[in-house]
Short mmCIF file of all heavy atoms in Angstrom, two decimals:
data_model
loop_
_atom_site.label_atom_id
_atom_site.label_comp_id
_atom_site.label_asym_id
_atom_site.label_seq_id
_atom_site.Cartn_x
_atom_site.Cartn_y
_atom_site.Cartn_z
N GLY A 9 132.99 110.37 133.51
CA GLY A 9 133.02 109.67 134.79
C GLY A 9 132.51 108.28 134.68
O GLY A 9 131.42 107.96 135.15
N ILE A 10 133.26 107.39 134.07
CA ILE A 10 132.84 106.02 133.85
C ILE A 10 133.16 105.16 135.07
O ILE A 10 134.30 105.15 135.53
CB ILE A 10 133.54 105.45 132.60
CG1 ILE A 10 133.27 106.30 131.39
CG2 ILE A 10 133.14 103.99 132.37
CD1 ILE A 10 134.18 106.03 130.22
N PRO A 11 132.19 104.45 135.63
CA PRO A 11 132.48 103.59 136.77
C PRO A 11 133.42 102.46 136.38
O PRO A 11 133.34 101.91 135.26
CB PRO A 11 131.12 103.01 137.18
CG PRO A 11 130.12 103.83 136.47
CD PRO A 11 130.79 104.42 135.28
N TRP A 12 134.33 102.13 137.26
CA TRP A 12 135.25 101.03 137.03
C TRP A 12 135.03 100.03 138.18
O TRP A 12 135.33 100.33 139.31
CB TRP A 12 136.69 101.51 137.02
CG TRP A 12 137.72 100.48 136.74
CD1 TRP A 12 137.54 99.19 136.40
CD2 TRP A 12 139.13 100.67 136.80
NE1 TRP A 12 138.73 98.54 136.24
CE2 TRP A 12 139.74 99.44 136.47
CE3 TRP A 12 139.94 101.73 137.06
CZ2 TRP A 12 141.12 99.25 136.42
CZ3 TRP A 12 141.32 101.58 137.02
CH2 TRP A 12 141.89 100.35 136.68
N LEU A 13 134.49 98.89 137.86
CA LEU A 13 134.19 97.87 138.85
C LEU A 13 135.19 96.71 138.69
O LEU A 13 135.43 96.24 137.59
CB LEU A 13 132.77 97.34 138.67
CG LEU A 13 131.65 98.38 138.65
CD1 LEU A 13 130.34 97.75 138.29
CD2 LEU A 13 131.59 99.12 139.97
N MET A 14 135.73 96.27 139.84
CA MET A 14 136.69 95.17 139.80
C MET A 14 136.36 94.20 140.92
O MET A 14 135.85 94.61 141.97
CB MET A 14 138.11 95.68 140.06
CG MET A 14 138.66 96.58 138.99
SD MET A 14 140.43 96.92 139.19
CE MET A 14 140.55 97.57 140.79
N ALA A 15 136.63 92.94 140.69
CA ALA A 15 136.46 91.89 141.69
C ALA A 15 137.49 90.82 141.42
O ALA A 15 137.86 90.59 140.26
CB ALA A 15 135.04 91.31 141.65
N GLY A 16 137.94 90.18 142.48
CA GLY A 16 138.88 89.09 142.31
C GLY A 16 139.93 89.11 143.38
O GLY A 16 139.95 89.97 144.25
N PRO A 17 140.84 88.13 143.31
CA PRO A 17 141.93 88.06 144.29
C PRO A 17 142.75 89.36 144.29
O PRO A 17 143.12 89.87 143.23
CB PRO A 17 142.78 86.88 143.81
CG PRO A 17 141.86 86.08 142.94
CD PRO A 17 140.91 87.05 142.32
N GLY A 18 143.00 89.86 145.46
CA GLY A 18 143.80 91.09 145.59
C GLY A 18 143.01 92.36 145.51
O GLY A 18 143.56 93.44 145.67
N VAL A 19 141.70 92.25 145.24
CA VAL A 19 140.84 93.44 145.16
C VAL A 19 139.99 93.50 146.42
O VAL A 19 139.24 92.56 146.70
CB VAL A 19 139.93 93.39 143.90
CG1 VAL A 19 139.00 94.60 143.87
CG2 VAL A 19 140.74 93.29 142.63
N PRO A 20 140.14 94.56 147.22
CA PRO A 20 139.34 94.66 148.45
C PRO A 20 137.84 94.60 148.15
O PRO A 20 137.35 95.26 147.22
CB PRO A 20 139.73 96.04 149.02
CG PRO A 20 141.04 96.34 148.38
CD PRO A 20 141.03 95.70 147.03
N VAL A 21 137.10 93.85 148.93
CA VAL A 21 135.67 93.66 148.76
C VAL A 21 134.90 94.87 149.31
O VAL A 21 135.18 95.32 150.43
CB VAL A 21 135.18 92.37 149.44
CG1 VAL A 21 133.68 92.23 149.35
CG2 VAL A 21 135.88 91.16 148.84
N GLY A 22 133.96 95.37 148.53
CA GLY A 22 133.06 96.43 148.99
C GLY A 22 133.70 97.81 149.15
O GLY A 22 133.09 98.69 149.71
N GLN A 23 134.88 97.99 148.67
CA GLN A 23 135.57 99.26 148.82
C GLN A 23 135.38 100.14 147.59
O GLN A 23 135.31 99.63 146.47
CB GLN A 23 137.09 99.02 149.01
CG GLN A 23 137.87 100.30 149.24
CD GLN A 23 139.31 100.00 149.56
OE1 GLN A 23 139.64 98.94 150.07
NE2 GLN A 23 140.19 100.91 149.25
N THR A 24 135.26 101.42 147.82
CA THR A 24 135.22 102.38 146.72
C THR A 24 136.46 103.23 146.77
O THR A 24 137.09 103.38 147.82
CB THR A 24 133.97 103.27 146.78
OG1 THR A 24 134.00 104.02 147.99
CG2 THR A 24 132.69 102.46 146.71
N CYS A 25 136.80 103.79 145.64
CA CYS A 25 138.00 104.61 145.51
C CYS A 25 137.67 105.78 144.60
O CYS A 25 137.07 105.57 143.53
CB CYS A 25 139.12 103.76 144.91
SG CYS A 25 140.63 104.64 144.56
N ASP A 26 137.97 106.96 145.01
CA ASP A 26 137.65 108.11 144.17
C ASP A 26 138.90 108.71 143.50
O ASP A 26 138.92 109.86 143.11
CB ASP A 26 136.91 109.19 144.97
CG ASP A 26 137.72 109.73 146.12
OD1 ASP A 26 138.84 109.25 146.37
OD2 ASP A 26 137.22 110.65 146.81
N ALA A 27 139.92 107.89 143.32
CA ALA A 27 141.14 108.33 142.64
C ALA A 27 140.83 108.72 141.20
O ALA A 27 139.94 108.18 140.57
CB ALA A 27 142.18 107.22 142.66
N LEU A 28 141.58 109.70 140.71
CA LEU A 28 141.46 110.08 139.32
C LEU A 28 142.22 109.06 138.49
O LEU A 28 143.46 108.95 138.56
CB LEU A 28 142.04 111.48 139.09
CG LEU A 28 141.31 112.63 139.77
CD1 LEU A 28 142.07 113.93 139.56
CD2 LEU A 28 139.89 112.75 139.25
N VAL A 29 141.51 108.27 137.70
CA VAL A 29 142.11 107.24 136.87
C VAL A 29 141.66 107.43 135.43
O VAL A 29 140.70 108.12 135.14
CB VAL A 29 141.75 105.81 137.36
CG1 VAL A 29 142.26 105.56 138.75
CG2 VAL A 29 140.26 105.56 137.28
N GLN A 30 142.42 106.81 134.53
CA GLN A 30 142.10 106.86 133.12
C GLN A 30 142.13 105.45 132.55
O GLN A 30 142.64 104.52 133.19
CB GLN A 30 143.12 107.75 132.38
CG GLN A 30 143.03 109.21 132.81
CD GLN A 30 144.00 110.07 132.02
OE1 GLN A 30 145.18 110.05 132.25
NE2 GLN A 30 143.43 110.84 131.11
N ASN A 31 141.59 105.29 131.37
CA ASN A 31 141.57 103.98 130.72
C ASN A 31 142.95 103.36 130.63
O ASN A 31 143.08 102.14 130.73
CB ASN A 31 140.94 104.06 129.32
CG ASN A 31 139.47 104.38 129.37
OD1 ASN A 31 138.84 104.30 130.42
ND2 ASN A 31 138.90 104.74 128.23
N VAL A 32 143.98 104.18 130.46
CA VAL A 32 145.34 103.63 130.34
C VAL A 32 145.82 102.98 131.63
O VAL A 32 146.83 102.30 131.64
CB VAL A 32 146.34 104.73 129.90
CG1 VAL A 32 146.03 105.22 128.50
CG2 VAL A 32 146.40 105.88 130.90
N ASP A 33 145.10 103.17 132.74
CA ASP A 33 145.46 102.55 134.01
C ASP A 33 144.93 101.13 134.15
O ASP A 33 145.31 100.41 135.08
CB ASP A 33 144.93 103.40 135.17
CG ASP A 33 145.54 104.79 135.20
OD1 ASP A 33 146.72 104.93 134.81
OD2 ASP A 33 144.85 105.73 135.62
N ILE A 34 144.05 100.71 133.25
CA ILE A 34 143.43 99.38 133.39
C ILE A 34 144.48 98.26 133.22
O ILE A 34 144.59 97.38 134.07
CB ILE A 34 142.28 99.20 132.37
CG1 ILE A 34 141.15 100.17 132.71
CG2 ILE A 34 141.78 97.76 132.37
CD1 ILE A 34 140.01 100.23 131.68
N LEU A 35 145.26 98.29 132.13
CA LEU A 35 146.23 97.22 131.91
C LEU A 35 147.27 97.16 133.01
O LEU A 35 147.53 96.06 133.53
CB LEU A 35 146.87 97.35 130.52
CG LEU A 35 147.90 96.26 130.21
CD1 LEU A 35 147.25 94.86 130.23
CD2 LEU A 35 148.54 96.52 128.86
N PRO A 36 147.88 98.27 133.43
CA PRO A 36 148.85 98.16 134.53
C PRO A 36 148.23 97.62 135.83
O PRO A 36 148.90 96.90 136.58
CB PRO A 36 149.34 99.59 134.71
CG PRO A 36 149.17 100.22 133.38
CD PRO A 36 147.90 99.62 132.84
N THR A 37 146.95 97.93 136.06
CA THR A 37 146.30 97.40 137.25
C THR A 37 146.10 95.90 137.14
O THR A 37 146.36 95.15 138.09
CB THR A 37 144.93 98.10 137.47
OG1 THR A 37 145.17 99.52 137.59
CG2 THR A 37 144.24 97.60 138.70
N ILE A 38 145.68 95.42 135.99
CA ILE A 38 145.48 93.98 135.78
C ILE A 38 146.83 93.27 135.90
O ILE A 38 146.93 92.19 136.52
CB ILE A 38 144.80 93.71 134.43
CG1 ILE A 38 143.36 94.19 134.48
CG2 ILE A 38 144.86 92.23 134.08
CD1 ILE A 38 142.63 94.20 133.15
N CYS A 39 147.89 93.86 135.33
CA CYS A 39 149.21 93.25 135.44
C CYS A 39 149.64 93.16 136.89
O CYS A 39 150.18 92.13 137.31
CB CYS A 39 150.24 94.07 134.64
SG CYS A 39 150.06 93.93 132.86
N ALA A 40 149.38 94.19 137.68
CA ALA A 40 149.75 94.14 139.11
C ALA A 40 148.95 93.08 139.82
O ALA A 40 149.52 92.36 140.68
CB ALA A 40 149.50 95.51 139.73
N LEU A 41 147.69 92.93 139.53
CA LEU A 41 146.87 91.90 140.16
C LEU A 41 147.38 90.51 139.83
O LEU A 41 147.26 89.58 140.63
CB LEU A 41 145.42 92.04 139.75
CG LEU A 41 144.63 93.17 140.40
CD1 LEU A 41 143.31 93.40 139.69
CD2 LEU A 41 144.42 92.87 141.88
N CYS A 42 147.92 90.33 138.63
CA CYS A 42 148.40 89.02 138.18
C CYS A 42 149.91 88.83 138.42
O CYS A 42 150.49 87.83 137.99
CB CYS A 42 148.12 88.85 136.68
SG CYS A 42 146.35 88.86 136.29
N ALA A 43 150.53 89.80 139.07
CA ALA A 43 151.97 89.77 139.31
C ALA A 43 152.77 89.61 138.04
O ALA A 43 153.74 88.85 137.95
CB ALA A 43 152.33 88.67 140.32
N LEU A 44 152.32 90.32 137.00
CA LEU A 44 153.01 90.32 135.71
C LEU A 44 153.64 91.67 135.45
O LEU A 44 153.12 92.70 135.89
CB LEU A 44 152.02 90.02 134.57
CG LEU A 44 151.36 88.65 134.60
CD1 LEU A 44 150.24 88.60 133.55
CD2 LEU A 44 152.40 87.59 134.33
N PRO A 45 154.73 91.72 134.71
CA PRO A 45 155.31 93.03 134.37
C PRO A 45 154.43 93.77 133.38
O PRO A 45 153.75 93.14 132.55
CB PRO A 45 156.67 92.68 133.74
CG PRO A 45 156.51 91.26 133.25
CD PRO A 45 155.51 90.61 134.16
N VAL A 46 154.42 95.07 133.50
CA VAL A 46 153.69 95.90 132.52
C VAL A 46 154.49 95.90 131.22
O VAL A 46 155.71 96.12 131.26
CB VAL A 46 153.49 97.32 133.04
CG1 VAL A 46 152.79 98.19 132.02
CG2 VAL A 46 152.70 97.29 134.36
N PRO A 47 153.88 95.63 130.08
CA PRO A 47 154.63 95.65 128.82
C PRO A 47 155.35 97.00 128.60
O PRO A 47 154.84 98.05 128.99
CB PRO A 47 153.55 95.44 127.75
CG PRO A 47 152.42 94.76 128.46
CD PRO A 47 152.47 95.30 129.87
N ALA A 48 156.52 96.92 128.02
CA ALA A 48 157.32 98.11 127.79
C ALA A 48 156.61 99.14 126.92
O ALA A 48 156.86 100.32 127.01
CB ALA A 48 158.67 97.73 127.16
N SER A 49 155.69 98.68 126.09
CA SER A 49 154.97 99.59 125.19
C SER A 49 153.94 100.45 125.94
O SER A 49 153.42 101.39 125.39
CB SER A 49 154.26 98.79 124.09
OG SER A 49 153.32 97.88 124.66
N VAL A 50 153.65 100.10 127.19
CA VAL A 50 152.70 100.87 128.00
C VAL A 50 153.48 101.92 128.76
O VAL A 50 154.21 101.63 129.70
CB VAL A 50 151.92 99.96 128.97
CG1 VAL A 50 151.00 100.76 129.87
CG2 VAL A 50 151.15 98.90 128.19
N ASP A 51 153.34 103.17 128.35
CA ASP A 51 154.14 104.22 128.99
C ASP A 51 153.32 105.25 129.77
O ASP A 51 153.86 106.06 130.48
CB ASP A 51 155.00 104.94 127.96
CG ASP A 51 154.19 105.63 126.88
OD1 ASP A 51 152.96 105.50 126.86
OD2 ASP A 51 154.78 106.29 126.04
N ALA A 52 152.00 105.21 129.65
CA ALA A 52 151.20 106.27 130.27
C ALA A 52 150.40 105.79 131.48
O ALA A 52 150.06 106.57 132.32
CB ALA A 52 150.25 106.86 129.25
N GLY A 53 150.09 104.52 131.56
CA GLY A 53 149.22 104.04 132.63
C GLY A 53 150.01 103.66 133.88
O GLY A 53 151.21 103.42 133.83
#
């Protein structure tokens, strides 16, 4: 149960989320925040 803390444009301030996430979700989340496509090599996140 590793905490995942995020801040920046597009990230709601002071909000918590109890969704089940994994490390493989970090890159797709960052890509979404930056409006970038997820690399084709990323198939699990």
Side-chain angles (χ1 to χ4, degrees):
I10 302 166
W12 182 6
L13 306 173
M14 295 190 304
V19 178
V21 176
Q23 183 174 334
T24 61
C25 175
D26 61 357
L28 294 175
V29 298
Q30 295 183 285
N31 291 347
V32 295
D33 297 327
I34 295 172
L35 181 60
T37 301
I38 291 170
C39 288
L41 284 168
C42 297
L44 295 171
V46 177
S49 61
V50 176
D51 61 355

